[in-house]
Amino acid sequence: MATAQDTIWERFLSPVVRFLIDEEKLQRYALSIDWEKEGDRIRSADVTIPAYYKQNFHGIKGGYLNSSAAVSYDPITEYALPPNETWVRQALIDAVKVQPRRILDLGCGTGSTTLMLKQAFPQAEVIGLDLSPYMLVRAEDKARTANLNIIWRHGNAAQTHFPDASFDLVTASLLFHETPSAVTQAILQESFRLLVAGGQVLILDGSQKTLRQLDWLNNIFEEPYIHEYAADSVDARLGAAGFQGVRTDDVWWIHQVSSGIKPTLITGSAMQATSQGSIDSTIDNNNLEGLGSPVFGITA
């Protein structure tokens, strides 16, 4: 008889994954890094870890707050994103509609999507933010190996402490199925605050429509909030956060990419001109012209 700890992951999936991956190679990599020392270096003292994040994810005790999660995440995810992990993550890159100078990747984990964003937009400043210092240590190592200049920050996606309107593009990959609905909404509100007018938010995750139809999938990967995510609507939450042009596209049927645009704001003088029958395309962008944001057609 299965015990509380004898999960679907431990009984069935873990042996399959162990057959597919090179455990000796992972062990060598794990021993090559002083995870506590490097984690302390990247850890921010003012970051409080929320209770929801301390649970088990993917059958790993303690979730992402340990080095074993950082070591095993990539080889597990490779087989958890059919038909091909790179193709799935590329769908988010392909959905970018702005020419970003500043990109923030929320819940970046080991940085797989973050690296792809930097490769797609090499001139952009790219920042990856995550609650796990161990995942960030792994992400930093991957970026170093790929010779990519990416900034890594330990932080909470729901409260980043970055200035208002400081990014052209905010992304999140495979994050929302691991957060309670209230936290999802808080992250989208934070994304709205962080974006310049005309900026874009992109969310890559599992298809909510498919997960609702195939409920048994929700029990496989030991995700404590996936049922809540499946019953929810990213589109509705984007709209509630204030985004316009909201749409979600299927990716290989079992994934989805959701997009929203922060609406441009018309200044008071422009509204007065409009009321008098003329049109003024002036944008209130919080004096961000000097930042050279291509969202406003400024390339200098």
Side-chain angles (χ1 to χ4, degrees), residues 135-149:
M135 301 292 271
L136 291 171
V137 169
R138 176 71 180 117
E140 185 181 65
D141 190 43
K142 287 165 63 175
R144 186 185 304 112
T145 300
N147 196 29
L148 293 173
N149 183 20

Side-chain angles (χ1 to χ4, degrees), residues 6-105:
D6 191 11
T7 62
I8 291 175
W9 171 268
E10 291 167 335
R11 280 184 289 157
F12 303 113
L13 294 181
S14 181
V16 173
V17 170
R18 287 178 176 176
F19 175 77
L20 293 171
I21 66 177
D22 186 341
E23 283 195 281
E24 290 187 5
K25 181 179 178 180
L26 290 183
Q27 184 66 14
R28 288 195 300 271
Y29 178 77
L31 294 174
S32 72
I33 295 176
D34 186 336
W35 292 94
E36 293 309 316
K37 178 182 177 180
E38 294 302 310
D40 287 343
R41 175 180 57 81
I42 209 165
R43 185 180 285 108
S44 178
D46 62 353
V47 174
T48 300
I49 303 298
Y52 80 86
Y53 194 74
K54 299 176 182 179
Q55 300 186 64
N56 295 357
F57 290 95
H58 303 296
I60 298 175
K61 186 177 181 180
Y64 299 122
L65 295 174
N66 63 75
S67 61
S68 64
V71 172
S72 62
Y73 183 84
D74 286 344
I76 291 174
T77 304
E78 179 182 355
Y79 296 102
L81 291 181
N84 179 285
E85 180 184 357
T86 300
W87 297 352
V88 173
R89 294 186 187 276
Q90 184 63 39
L92 181 143
I93 310 297
D94 293 343
V96 175
K97 301 302 182 186
V98 295
Q99 295 295 321
R101 287 290 184 90
R102 290 167 182 82
I103 303 171
L104 176 62
D105 191 26

Side-chain angles (χ1 to χ4, degrees), residues 101 272 283:
R101 287 290 184 90
Q272 181 178 1
I283 296 173

Side-chain angles (χ1 to χ4, degrees), residues 160-167 193-195:
T160 65
H161 301 297
F162 288 115
D164 292 355
S166 52
F167 296 94
R193 181 187 71 81
L194 292 171
L195 283 168

Side-chain angles (χ1 to χ4, degrees), residues 50-260:
Y52 80 86
Y53 194 74
K54 299 176 182 179
Q55 300 186 64
N56 295 357
F57 290 95
H58 303 296
I60 298 175
K61 186 177 181 180
Y64 299 122
L65 295 174
N66 63 75
S67 61
S68 64
V71 172
S72 62
Y73 183 84
D74 286 344
I76 291 174
T77 304
E78 179 182 355
Y79 296 102
L81 291 181
N84 179 285
E85 180 184 357
T86 300
W87 297 352
V88 173
R89 294 186 187 276
Q90 184 63 39
L92 181 143
I93 310 297
D94 293 343
V96 175
K97 301 302 182 186
V98 295
Q99 295 295 321
R101 287 290 184 90
R102 290 167 182 82
I103 303 171
L104 176 62
D105 191 26
L106 298 171
C108 66
T110 63
S112 295
T113 300
T114 326
L115 268 65
M116 293 177 69
L117 285 163
K118 183 62 177 179
Q119 290 167 334
F121 304 101
Q123 301 306 315
E125 178 183 70
V126 178
I127 299 175
L129 180 141
D130 201 87
L131 271 168
S132 170
Y134 302 104
M135 301 292 271
L136 291 171
V137 169
R138 176 71 180 117
E140 185 181 65
D141 190 43
K142 287 165 63 175
R144 186 185 304 112
T145 300
N147 196 29
L148 293 173
N149 183 20
I150 297 173
I151 300 169
W152 306 103
R153 290 286 182 268
H154 183 217
N156 189 335
Q159 193 174 18
T160 65
H161 301 297
F162 288 115
D164 292 355
S166 52
F167 296 94
D168 304 306
L169 176 65
V170 174
T171 63
S173 298
L174 310 180
L175 172 63
F176 284 177
H177 73 277
E178 296 183 340
T179 59
S181 296
V183 175
T184 296
Q185 192 66 53
I187 292 172
L188 289 176
Q189 294 290 166
E190 178 73 347
S191 300
F192 189 89
R193 181 187 71 81
L194 292 171
L195 283 168
V196 299
Q200 184 181 18
V201 64
L202 282 170
I203 310 300
L204 168 66
D205 219 306
S207 168
Q208 291 171 305
K209 179 172 62 178
T210 298
L211 289 173
R212 285 193 291 267
Q213 294 171 348
L214 301 176
D215 187 63
W216 59 270
L217 281 175
N218 300 337
N219 298 318
I220 290 181
F221 292 109
E222 303 297 322
E223 299 283 7
Y225 300 106
I226 198 166
H227 289 276
E228 193 172 339
Y229 169 78
D232 205 1
S233 167
V234 173
D235 279 4
R237 294 204 172 274
L238 283 166
F243 289 100
Q244 295 181 353
V246 173
R247 62 175 294 166
T248 290
D249 295 308
D250 288 337
V251 179
W252 301 102
W253 186 62
I254 55 176
H255 317 286
Q256 66 181 40
V257 172
S258 302
S259 173

